[in-house]
Amino acid sequence: MLTWSVKDATNVTIDNGIGNVLTQTSVTVNPLITTTYTLTASNARGSVLAATTLTVSPSPPPYPVGLTDDFLLVNGVRRDYRVHVPASLGGATPKAIVLVLHGGGGAGLSVANTGAHPLAVFRTVADREGFVVVYPGGLPQLDGGAGWNDCRNDNSLAAPTDDIAFLDALIDRIRSQYKLPSEKVFMAGGSNGAQMTFSYALARSERVAAIATSNGNLPVDPKPGACRNFPARPIPVLMAHGTADPAMPYGGGCVANVGSGCARGRVISAEATRNFWLEANGLANKVPSQTIFEVDSGDGGPANRFQYLGVPAVEWWRMDGGGHPVSSQAVLIPTNPTSGIQNRDVEFAEIAWSFFNKALASGTVPSSTAIAAARDYSTSVGGQTFLIMHNGKILDEAYANGGAPERVQLLASATKGFTGMVGAIAASDGLFNLDEPVANRAITEWKSDPVRSRITFRHLLTMASGLQELNDLPGWNSYINAQAINEPGNVFVYSGDPNILGLAMQRLLPAEKVEDYFNRKLFSPLGMTSVRWASNFSDGNPQLSGGAYATARDWAKFGEFVRLTTSREWNGSPLLAASFFDQVFQGSKAHPAYGFYWWLKEPVPAQLAATIDSNNKEQYSRQIKPIIDDGRVPDDFVMAAGAYGQRLYIIPSRGLTIVRNGPANDNRFKDEEFLGRLFGP
């Protein structure tokens, strides 16, 4: 539809057969080809008051069911592609678009043909799951085979073509046909197609939601520009690689070096490629979970999955003894010296789609019905505040049972979320070293004690100091007499460690009160003006373990800072280095699901969970286990939690920050009931 606004005109016309439109302000056009329309307006004397042009391109109809060949002209060059539309769609909008890039020098577009190549299995998965598969075609390389002009600067056989522009145009076309956002566009590739997938993600991370690659490495000598930098935004990445790949060497080296003198360039190792994406996604220090798949004992060895959970996630598949062919159980590739042994323990198309499907789910906003159900449940069990934000926008905000926007609410033990963050800020600023014994410069009274002298700041921040459980003491100095009953770092005890941290910080801040440090380093930069401290301590010091008050909106500001920094999208002044921020949300040996006073959705071995429960009044089973066991709750879920249902939930992968407060006399609130309503049955 063309729309316009013209003032004081006596004549308004549009060319191309539309004619006079003086009495109109819009007109619908449906050109069969790209058409430029010129609107002209004149007054009574005939002089032109306005003239403007607009070019309109026809919106192509969706492709029919089955496999369709089509092409685009990009920079005057014909670019071919194939599209597979599953019959199961029945005219409905597809769940997603998945572009699948073939390898170099081989089958080219024929990888889409059923039964011919493991990448064709994406069509089978699409038929079941309801997404559209697009197979772009690379151009002939200088040695004749079709391929891609990826990030390798030393690939002397690559065709001098702009494949980024081709993929841009192709994505634009398919998206316009199905009216899907970039959050539902994914890319996968094998070999040279994997390298091109990496290249596109580096240059256009905002245009694809996640990528998956089989047997592709990053170059030793990347082209200037985007190829030499991290992507503009982190992106979920799945990588699979065989340890015995002769064409794309697992340990790095020449690509497909078949007597051509390394003409196809050199690549870094598969593990270095993995490490690049881990660093790009802020997961360099993340310890992965490992799962081994050994279905076919006749291939080179098992498939090993390493999941680095975070935002965005990285999933790494090491195929022991596997060669260059794409892993498959449906399409079997014979072993040969050029390609090696195919891994047959997993189906690459299936693991790629499973990974993409998680990214799809993570981008889903709870429905208004689900939000209302969670809100109503909270209110029914005494809830006073409810606030849910998606990507910085408030979706719902409600106050009941005495709550109000301007009312500061007691956060109880959720206060520890502030304390853990400020502890990381202090370490980032150099006030102390996380692994420095507290007795060295702060609580020097412990220097002569054989056990307490080894308690570090990290031990205090993870509730693993080894000290006896201490609560309701008269003041900070009273904690000096706490007795060590466990080896530091070995046992989690939910106790007064945050207040011991406060005492230690105060001794390192002789010219500034700790609460002023909190304000200067955290609350003031975030614009949190409502925070107040209560204390049961006779010495007047703030109760860093549970004495903060704040309004719901101020608490949400803190949550947004956590969400955005986790996603590496924080645009404010850097409050602390990313490496320190990340440690706030890493579990310890003593409690994998507890960071620097934050609850995490991380698995805890059953024996360790039982020990934690026995030392903490079944707190693990009550507090976090129901969330860990709930598959509907995303893996990057973190929570600051206080008594009587004081909650700050943050789920970066879904862009969610959620605040919930209750009165200090109602203990009916259950996380699993609340989150179950929010994320559905």
Side-chain angles (χ1 to χ4, degrees):
M1 177 180 288
L2 306 179
T3 61
W4 60 87
S5 175
V6 177
K7 184 179 180 181
D8 298 330
T10 58
N11 190 50
V12 181
T13 60
I14 300 178
D15 62 358
N16 290 303
I18 296 177
N20 195 297
V21 290
L22 179 62
T23 61
Q24 300 170 245
T25 57
S26 67
V27 64
T28 299
V29 294
N30 293 294
L32 297 178
I33 61 173
T34 299
T35 304
T36 298
Y37 297 89
T38 300
L39 180 143
T40 304
S42 59
N43 62 14
R45 300 179 60 184
S47 59
V48 174
L49 295 177
T52 188
T53 61
L54 182 66
T55 300
V56 179
S57 296
S59 179
Y63 288 101
V65 167
L67 199 61
T68 301
D69 284 3
D70 207 344
F71 70 92
L72 290 170
L73 289 177
V74 181
N75 299 325
V77 178
R78 174 175 170 141
R79 303 304 304 265
D80 294 304
Y81 62 94
R82 287 176 177 166
V83 179
H84 173 74
V85 177
S88 59
L89 278 184
T93 300
K95 185 182 294 186
I97 299 166
V98 178
L99 284 83
V100 180
L101 278 59
H102 63 75
L109 274 180
S110 67
V111 300
N113 297 340
T114 303
H117 195 282
L119 294 180
V121 180
F122 276 96
R123 294 175 57 193
T124 304
V125 181
D127 288 343
R128 184 187 73 232
E129 298 290 336
F131 61 88
V132 169
V133 190
V134 182
Y135 291 91
L139 293 178
Q141 308 293 280
L142 299 187
D143 61 349
W148 302 99
N149 188 7
D150 57 66
C151 275
R152 284 172 289 169
N153 199 34
D154 56 353
N155 180 9
S156 61
L157 299 180
T161 183
D162 188 349
D163 284 323
I164 297 291
F166 168 42
L167 294 173
D168 278 345
L170 181 55
I171 289 173
D172 285 344
R173 175 160 188 170
I174 305 298
R175 278 185 57 194
S176 69
Q177 288 175 301
Y178 295 102
K179 297 180 173 57
L180 291 180
S182 58
E183 289 82 4
K184 296 189 177 184
V185 177
F186 301 92
M187 187 175 291
S191 187
N192 183 205
Q195 294 174 297
M196 190 63 221
T197 297
F198 284 145
S199 302
Y200 194 78
L202 291 172
R204 299 287 192 269
S205 59
E206 74 283 359
R207 293 175 63 84
V208 285
I211 62 172
T213 64
S214 172
N215 294 72
N217 292 343
L218 291 169
V220 169
D221 178 18
K223 293 176 181 177
C227 293
R228 297 189 178 183
N229 300 296
F230 288 146
R233 72 172 185 91
I235 182 172
V237 179
L238 179 146
M239 293 165 282
H241 209 115
T243 60
D245 185 344
M248 189 75 64
Y250 184 85
C254 295
V255 176
N257 191 28
V258 287
S260 55
C262 214
R264 291 179 174 83
R266 291 174 170 83
V267 291
I268 64 177
S269 72
E271 293 182 11
T273 300
R274 173 204 63 197
N275 293 343
F276 172 91
W277 290 104
L278 287 173
E279 188 174 354
N281 287 359
L283 300 173
N285 298 317
K286 191 76 170 178
V287 177
S289 62
Q290 181 181 4
T291 309
I292 299 174
F293 298 83
E294 180 66 291
V295 176
D296 188 335
S297 59
D299 61 4
N304 302 268
R305 180 180 66 187
F306 299 87
Q307 292 177 295
Y308 298 82
L309 300 179
V311 184
V314 169
E315 191 167 303
W316 162 246
W317 288 78
R318 188 190 70 212
M319 309 305 188
D320 289 347
H324 194 62
V326 174
S327 297
S328 182
Q329 297 169 325
V331 180
L332 306 183
I333 307 297
T335 300
N336 65 72
T338 302
S339 62
I341 302 172
Q342 181 189 34
N343 177 275
R344 297 172 180 176
D345 296 312
V346 296
E347 190 72 54
F348 176 72
E350 293 283 4
I351 65 173
W353 172 248
S354 176
F355 187 72
F356 294 161
N357 210 18
K358 289 179 183 177
L360 273 178
S362 69
T364 303
V365 181
S367 68
S368 58
T369 301
I371 291 172
R375 180 194 64 224
D376 293 345
Y377 164 73
S378 175
T379 301
S380 73
V381 291
Q384 295 176 314
T385 70
F386 173 83
L387 190 154
I388 180 168
M389 302 180 71
H390 178 253
N391 290 335
K393 179 182 178 181
I394 295 177
L395 298 180
D396 199 341
E397 182 178 15
Y399 300 89
N401 302 317
E406 67 279 1
R407 176 179 174 175
V408 291
Q409 299 273 166
L410 174 65
L411 306 185
S413 284
T415 299
K416 296 180 179 72
F418 295 150
T419 307
M421 189 62 68
V422 172
I425 290 173
S428 180
D429 284 351
L431 184 66
F432 53 75
N433 185 299
L434 286 170
D435 297 307
E436 168 191 356
V438 178
N440 278 8
R441 297 182 297 121
I443 306 179
T444 55
E445 293 91 335
W446 290 352
K447 273 191 173 182
S448 60
D449 188 285
V451 179
R452 292 183 298 177
S453 62
R454 290 184 280 110
I455 296 172
T456 67
F457 285 91
R458 188 186 301 277
H459 293 147
L460 293 178
L461 283 160
T462 56
M463 294 280 199
S465 65
L467 297 173
Q468 65 188 115
E469 184 177 354
L470 294 168
N471 294 296
D472 302 322
L473 298 183
W476 283 359
N477 284 326
S478 302
Y479 287 92
I480 294 173
N481 298 320
Q483 297 302 304
I485 59 174
N486 294 295
E487 180 66 21
N490 283 358
V491 178
F492 175 87
V493 176
Y494 195 78
S495 184
D497 288 358
N499 295 312
I500 302 175
L501 176 69
L503 171 63
M505 289 180 61
Q506 188 63 77
R507 291 187 173 184
L508 298 174
L509 291 166
E512 184 178 23
K513 291 184 177 181
V514 166
E515 54 262 49
D516 293 334
Y517 186 82
F518 270 65
N519 187 64
R520 179 167 63 89
K521 289 293 184 177
L522 183 65
F523 302 143
S524 183
L526 296 181
M528 299 173 63
T529 59
S530 70
V531 179
R532 303 288 183 270
W533 291 98
S535 179
N536 295 326
F537 296 142
S538 58
D539 59 12
N541 285 316
Q543 194 170 347
L544 299 185
S545 59
Y549 286 76
T551 63
R553 288 196 175 191
D554 264 3
W555 206 13
K557 290 177 183 177
F558 177 57
E560 281 292 280
F561 160 68
V562 172
R563 180 183 70 82
L564 290 168
T565 308
T566 301
S567 302
R568 297 294 188 265
E569 296 177 9
W570 172 248
N571 294 320
S573 300
L575 302 188
L576 76 167
S579 59
F580 286 93
F581 175 90
D582 292 341
Q583 293 181 72
V584 175
F585 304 99
Q586 291 178 5
S588 67
K589 178 181 72 173
H591 197 326
Y594 196 77
F596 286 7
Y597 310 143
W598 284 84
W599 296 95
L600 317 173
K601 189 181 178 184
E602 293 285 354
V604 178
Q607 185 173 351
L608 178 57
T611 300
I612 293 170
D613 266 347
S614 66
N615 290 327
N616 297 276
K617 304 177 182 69
E618 305 298 313
Q619 185 187 39
Y620 167 78
S621 293
R622 291 183 288 103
Q623 189 88 1
I624 192 66
K625 187 177 186 299
I627 298 172
I628 293 173
D629 292 344
D630 193 335
R632 298 169 300 180
V633 179
D635 292 331
D636 60 330
F637 169 97
V638 298
M639 172 177 69
Y644 306 110
Q646 321 308 325
R647 297 290 189 268
L648 175 61
Y649 303 114
I650 302 163
I651 308 175
S653 64
R654 293 205 178 183
L656 293 175
T657 296
I658 305 164
V659 169
R660 190 272 177 185
N661 292 110
N665 59 359
D666 194 326
N667 208 23
R668 293 176 292 163
F669 179 81
K670 302 295 182 186
D671 294 289
E672 57 269 32
E673 294 288 343
F674 179 83
L675 295 171
R677 286 164 171 78
L678 189 63
F679 295 122

